[in-house]
Amino acid sequence: MSSSVSATEAAQVIDTARERIDALDGQILDLVRERMAVSATVQEARIAAGGRRVHLSREMEILDRYRQRLGKPGTTLAMTLLELCRGRV
């Protein structure tokens, strides 16, 4: 976008971008809920087999993946996802 856009043009760009962000947020929230359900299935199976609910080495793999792709904030995001997905069983 050029630096000489009108306020009206800028407002249109912003409105369109915000609509897209809202749509993406909806998809992300749906995916997080799906991840929580899948995680609960894994935990239930692990517990039924006599294992622990949480598998720490697996969590470390997830933390590392997010950190590699998104940097330090990725680790925070991964920790939040793991927290959301723990303890639902």
Side-chain angles (χ1 to χ4, degrees):
M1 186 162 76
S2 115
S3 61
S4 62
V5 298
S6 72
T8 301
E9 292 170 321
Q12 290 172 342
V13 168
I14 291 167
D15 287 345
T16 299
R18 285 181 175 163
E19 287 175 11
R20 181 68 180 133
I21 287 171
D22 290 345
L24 290 167
D25 283 345
Q27 292 174 356
I28 291 166
L29 291 168
D30 290 343
L31 288 170
V32 169
R33 284 190 167 174
E34 182 178 352
R35 189 190 193 290
M36 291 169 69
V38 172
S39 182
T41 300
V42 170
Q43 291 174 52
E44 288 168 1
R46 192 179 302 120
I47 291 168
R52 298 178 61 178
R53 180 175 47 85
V54 175
H55 192 268
L56 295 178
S57 64
R58 172 70 176 146
E59 288 194 356
M60 293 305 294
E61 290 173 15
I62 293 165
L63 290 168
D64 189 52
R65 181 180 323 129
Y66 275 73
R67 182 192 51 76
Q68 286 180 16
R69 298 280 302 268
L70 301 173
K72 186 176 178 183
T75 304
T76 304
L77 176 59
M79 284 299 298
T80 300
L81 283 171
L82 291 170
E83 183 179 342
L84 283 167
C85 294
R86 282 190 211 124
R88 301 287 188 226
V89 177

